[in-house]
């Protein structure tokens, strides 16, 4: 038997209740590879799944945890053998399939990638789904022509998980990074990650009817959407791209939206880490190991245990987490 954070649902009241319980290998879902999980993390979707699910959880009882890193314990797939270090992100693990908030997980071999050289399991989860998405965003901006000489790159929701890793990667690659935050107390943290400018959230959360604003940004990684994305699109330089990853600030984009696309040739690139094919995941993890300064990762980490998770799920939904929460499932 081993520990897991299990979310149960009372069918009569519809209320969900997360708690640490003992489960066994026979309880785990089907899959070719059983992994002894070492670390998982807390992402925005985990916050939803620890609570009432927000439409993501298909069946209760449920074990959330959309990402994990650990050691292969058993495998019926030739690509993995016991002792191999692996990382998992995406594929609706932690939503439709039991996830990483347990000391063991069983998944399809196709969903895993080998731990890249240069990362241990804790560092891999300090990056996690949020960091992988940040890297995929930077790669998409590069594919659309972004170079450091083009000017400042904006990162929204900068003190959050995606934003923190995006800030550190972009700065490391030589970009001038302007970090948008609603938490002035995170300024020193963001500057230490490499932000050269802090933009107060209020500067971008008032809708304007102007069809365009001054051209300011050569690129943007946006984790917030809502009114902020509407404003940012109007401030992009000619031909620049926005990598849109999330909607921490709301699902609707507001404003006279068509003008940035027609008059400035702005690109809006949707980035999703969930169904990334194997080759893309391996390429992105390889870039993370190469381009993310590992000494900066430490400043992003809030350590946690399985029993901390019910409280942390609420915190991430309220935008209260700084950087990345790394869950030691064996602590
Ligand atoms: P976090 O909660 O760690 O960070 C989100 C940040 O957004 C907050 O820290 C805060 O930053 C800012 N924020 C929160 N609420 C608001 C608001 N109302 N208005 C403006 N800014 C706000 O989450 P993650 O970084 O992990 O994820 C961010 C988004 O990206 C989520 O929507 C998530 O679901 C999505 N996501 C998408 C992925 C994909 O594959 N596409 C993968 C991972 C995440 P600050 O305090 O600095 O202002």
């Amino acid at each position: 038997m081993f520990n897991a954070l299990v979310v149960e649902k009372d069918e009569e009241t519809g209320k969900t209740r997360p708690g640490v319980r003992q489960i066994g290998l026979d309880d785990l879902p089907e899959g070719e590879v059983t992994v002894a999980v070492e670390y998982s993390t807390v992402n925005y979707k985990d916050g939803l799944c620890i609570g009432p699910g927000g439409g993501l959880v298909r069946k209760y009882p449920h074990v959330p945890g959309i990402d994990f890193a650990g050691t292969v314990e058993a495998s019926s797939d030739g690509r993995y053998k016991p002792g191999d270090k692996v990382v998992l992100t995406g594929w609706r693990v932690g939503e439709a399939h039991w996830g990483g908030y347990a000391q063991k997980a069983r998944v399809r071999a196709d969903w895993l990638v080998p731990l890249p050289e240069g990362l241990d399991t804790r560092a891999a989860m300090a990056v996690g789904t949020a960091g992988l998405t940040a890297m995929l965003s930077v790669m998409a901006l590069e594919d659309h022509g972004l170079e450091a000489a083009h000017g400042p790159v904006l990162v929204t929701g900068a003190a959050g998980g995606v934003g923190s890793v995006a800030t550190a990667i972009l700065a490391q690659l030589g970009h001038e990074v302007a970090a948008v935050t609603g938490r002035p107390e995170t300024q020193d943290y963001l500057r230490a990650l490499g932000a050269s400018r802090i933009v107060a959230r209020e500067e971008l959360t008032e809708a304007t009817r102007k069809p365009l604003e001054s051209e300011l940004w050569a690129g943007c990684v946006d984790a917030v959407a809502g009114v902020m994305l509407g404003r940012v699109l109007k401030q992009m330089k000619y031909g620049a791209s926005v990598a849109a990853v999330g909607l921490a600030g709301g699902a609707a984009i507001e404003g006279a939206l068509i003008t940035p696309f027609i008059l400035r040739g702005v690109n809006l690139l949707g980035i999703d880490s969930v169904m990334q094919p194997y080759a893309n995941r391996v390429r992105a993890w390889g870039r993370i190991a190469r381009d993310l300064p590992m000494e900066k990762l430490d400043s992003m980490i809030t350590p946690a245990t399985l029993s901390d998770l019910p409280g942390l799920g609420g915190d991430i939904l309220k935008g209260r987490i700084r950087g990345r929460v790394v869950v030691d499932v064996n602590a």
Side-chain angles (χ1 to χ4, degrees), residues 133 157 159-162 181-183 201 223-224 245-248 271-273 316:
T133 307
V162 175
T181 184
R183 290 180 277 177
R201 186 191 291 179
V224 169
V245 312
L247 31 83
I271 306 297
D272 189 17
S273 62
I316 196 154

Side-chain angles (χ1 to χ4, degrees), residues 4-8 16-21 41-53 62 64-65 101 303-318 320-321 325 327:
L5 190 276
V6 181
V7 183
E8 278 159 0
T16 50
R17 204 180 55 243
V20 179
R21 317 242 185 286
T41 77
V42 181
N43 296 273
Y44 198 82
K45 274 186 181 172
D46 295 315
L48 296 173
C49 295
I50 292 169
H62 178 67
Y101 292 169
T305 64
L306 287 178
S307 48
D308 295 329
L309 287 166
L312 289 165
D315 285 347
I316 196 154
L317 296 179
K318 291 182 185 122
R320 286 192 191 142
I321 303 283
V325 177
V327 184

Side-chain angles (χ1 to χ4, degrees), residues 92-103:
R92 312 225 179 280
V93 170
E95 303 172 42
H97 189 98
W98 283 12
Y101 292 169
Q103 291 172 315

